[in-house]
Amino acid sequence: MLFDPRSFVSAVDAGQPAWTPARQHPVAKRRPALDFLTLPAIPEGTPSRALLTFGDEVDVKDLVIEQFKAGVLNASHVSNASGAGDAFAQAFHAWLATRVPTTKVLSFDFALVDQAAVDVEISEFGFDMQDRSSLYLGIRLEEETVYTLTAERADALRQLDPSLVHMTFHLVRAAACKSLHVRTPDDLLDMFGRWHWDYETLTDDEEAREHLKERFGADDPDIDRYLPSVVRAAIAPDEVLPKWQWARPDWPFTLLSRRKLRKLARQGQNDWRGGFCSALADLDLALERMGDASLMRNAQWAEPAYSAATIAYQHSDYVGEVLDDHFECANNGGYATYFQCFIPFADKPKSIRAQYSALHETLKLIALLDRVLEHFI
C-alpha cells in the first residue's frame, strides 16, 4: 500500500497501472519447495511430545515410595513414567477406575493436587491446614443440578409411613457428610436465613419483619413474601429438617429402623416405593458399617461454589433465588473454588491402607446415595 500510487476510489484510478515489485521470485517448477512460508523436513527421530517440570518432583518422591510400599497400588499399572509423581498418578487412577461408580444424579470428579496448588486454591480464605502433605486428593465439583421430591411422591411416601419423608432426608444428610457435598433443604434454609434473616434460621415472623424493614424499607410489599412462616413451608418444612431446626418441637416424626424400612419395601413392592425403601435400607446399612470411619476426617474444606446436587423439597422460586444469589456472589467475590475439599495422602503403611479402605467404602456409599436420589429425577 505504501508503494502503490492508486487510491481506494476505483473511478479515479481507472486506467492507472498497478505497482509491481522490481524483484520477482523464480518459479519453483520441479525443484523442492523449501522456500518462504514452508516448513523444513523434520527427522523421524525428533520427539513429538515434551513434559514441562519446575524442579519440585523431589517433594513427592518420599510420599510416593511409601504409597507403593504399603501394597495397595499395583506397580504393574505404571508405564514409561516421567517421574515419581507420574508413576503415582498412573497407579492411583488405575486403582480408582475400577471403583468409581457411574452416577445418574451426583456429579463429581477426583484430581491429584500438589501442596503448592492447594495453597493457591485456599489462600483467599485464611485457612491453616493442620495436616499437610506433598500430595492431596481433591474432590472436584464443577456443575450443580437441582432435583425435587415433588408433592406427589412425598404424599405417596407418607401413605406408607408418616415419617418416611423425614427418614429419607436424614439418611441423605448422613451420607453426604461422609462423601459428597449435597445441598438439602436445611442447607437452603440456612442460606436463606443468612441472606434475609440476619443468619437466624429459627427466627419468628416478628423479628424477621424488623430486619427486612431495615433492608427493603418499611413499606416494601415483598416483606410478607420473605417471612419465615411463608418461606419455611416452601423450602424446608419441619418434616425434612433435623430436629434441632424444627419450628414446632412437638412434631411426631421419628427415625425408622432398618427392619422397618425393609418391611415398607415389601409393602410398596408393586410400585417405585419398594425399590426406594430398599435403597434407603441399604444406605442405612452402609452408614452403620462405616461407623466413625470417614475419608473426610483430616480433609481441608475448600469453599466449593457448587455441590454434587441440590435436593429440594419441592419446586419453589425461593430455591432459585437463593442459589442465584449464591452463584452471583461466588462469581463476583471470588471466594469459592471448584473443589469440595483436599484430602492429604497418608505416608505411613497402616494409615495408607486405612485411607484406601475408607476411600473404597466412600465410593460404595456414593453409589448407594445416588441409587436413592435416582427417585428424585
Side-chain angles (χ1 to χ4, degrees), residues 129-144:
M129 289 186 293
Q130 300 300 315
D131 297 285
R132 299 181 71 85
S133 173
S134 54
L135 277 178
Y136 293 79
L137 178 63
I139 299 179
R140 186 163 50 197
L141 308 174
E142 296 186 334
E143 61 181 9
E144 180 172 343

Side-chain angles (χ1 to χ4, degrees), residues 165-239:
V165 173
H166 178 66
M167 185 64 182
T168 296
F169 282 95
H170 167 76
L171 288 176
V172 170
R173 280 191 300 270
C177 286
K178 286 181 173 288
S179 58
L180 297 177
H181 173 44
V182 175
R183 296 190 214 277
T184 46
D186 55 305
D187 295 304
L188 297 172
L189 181 64
D190 180 69
M191 293 168 71
F192 199 94
R194 278 182 281 161
W195 281 106
H196 301 288
W197 305 330
D198 197 26
Y199 292 83
E200 293 292 338
T201 57
L202 292 176
T203 188
D204 57 26
D205 283 2
E206 184 178 351
E207 292 181 356
R209 186 181 295 277
E210 293 304 314
H211 181 73
L212 291 168
K213 285 180 180 179
E214 295 178 6
R215 179 175 179 181
F216 295 116
D219 299 326
D220 195 305
D222 282 341
I223 288 179
D224 289 338
R225 183 175 178 271
Y226 290 112
L227 294 176
S229 61
V230 179
V231 176
R232 289 176 68 100
I235 66 173
D238 286 355
E239 182 180 24

Side-chain angles (χ1 to χ4, degrees), residues 14-301:
Q16 292 191 23
W19 174 81
T20 56
R23 179 184 176 186
Q24 298 291 321
H25 291 281
V27 178
K29 295 184 179 179
R30 295 181 179 276
R31 66 181 176 79
L34 299 178
D35 206 333
F36 183 62
L37 293 182
T38 62
L39 295 174
I42 300 176
E44 293 183 0
T46 303
S48 60
R49 300 178 61 188
L51 178 66
L52 179 64
T53 63
F54 296 91
D56 57 355
E57 185 74 10
V58 66
D59 294 336
V60 304
K61 188 175 181 179
D62 292 341
L63 174 64
V64 170
I65 290 174
E66 294 300 323
Q67 286 278 324
F68 278 104
K69 285 171 60 177
V72 180
L73 300 181
N74 191 341
S76 66
H77 292 138
V78 180
S79 176
N80 299 322
S82 60
D86 185 32
F88 174 75
Q90 291 185 39
F92 178 77
H93 282 109
W95 182 92
L96 197 63
T98 60
R99 293 168 173 83
V100 174
T102 300
T103 55
K104 296 181 180 180
V105 174
L106 299 171
S107 178
F108 70 102
D109 194 8
F110 290 108
L112 296 178
V113 191
D114 63 21
Q115 178 65 65
V118 171
D119 287 340
V120 171
E121 288 287 341
I122 66 173
S123 61
E124 298 295 325
F125 313 122
F127 292 147
D128 182 17
M129 289 186 293
Q130 300 300 315
D131 297 285
R132 299 181 71 85
S133 173
S134 54
L135 277 178
Y136 293 79
L137 178 63
I139 299 179
R140 186 163 50 197
L141 308 174
E142 296 186 334
E143 61 181 9
E144 180 172 343
T145 303
V146 179
Y147 302 92
T148 58
L149 177 60
T150 74
E152 293 78 12
R153 286 183 176 264
D155 287 340
L157 293 177
R158 293 187 194 102
Q159 289 175 9
L160 276 182
D161 190 280
S163 294
L164 189 52
V165 173
H166 178 66
M167 185 64 182
T168 296
F169 282 95
H170 167 76
L171 288 176
V172 170
R173 280 191 300 270
C177 286
K178 286 181 173 288
S179 58
L180 297 177
H181 173 44
V182 175
R183 296 190 214 277
T184 46
D186 55 305
D187 295 304
L188 297 172
L189 181 64
D190 180 69
M191 293 168 71
F192 199 94
R194 278 182 281 161
W195 281 106
H196 301 288
W197 305 330
D198 197 26
Y199 292 83
E200 293 292 338
T201 57
L202 292 176
T203 188
D204 57 26
D205 283 2
E206 184 178 351
E207 292 181 356
R209 186 181 295 277
E210 293 304 314
H211 181 73
L212 291 168
K213 285 180 180 179
E214 295 178 6
R215 179 175 179 181
F216 295 116
D219 299 326
D220 195 305
D222 282 341
I223 288 179
D224 289 338
R225 183 175 178 271
Y226 290 112
L227 294 176
S229 61
V230 179
V231 176
R232 289 176 68 100
I235 66 173
D238 286 355
E239 182 180 24
V240 300
L241 297 175
K243 190 171 183 178
W244 69 268
Q245 280 189 314
W246 287 1
R248 285 182 50 188
D250 58 340
W251 280 110
F253 305 124
T254 60
L255 298 181
L256 305 178
S257 67
R258 191 160 54 251
R259 177 178 295 182
K260 177 65 173 179
L261 290 173
R262 299 290 188 197
K263 181 179 179 180
L264 294 176
R266 293 190 294 271
Q267 290 178 346
Q269 62 183 352
N270 293 328
D271 57 30
W272 62 272
R273 295 176 299 177
F276 181 73
C277 291
S278 179
L280 286 177
D282 291 343
L283 182 60
D284 183 58
L285 178 61
L287 286 167
E288 182 181 280
R289 287 176 173 173
M290 287 187 72
D292 294 332
S294 175
L295 181 66
M296 311 299 170
R297 186 177 305 281
N298 299 319
Q300 172 60 59
W301 183 251

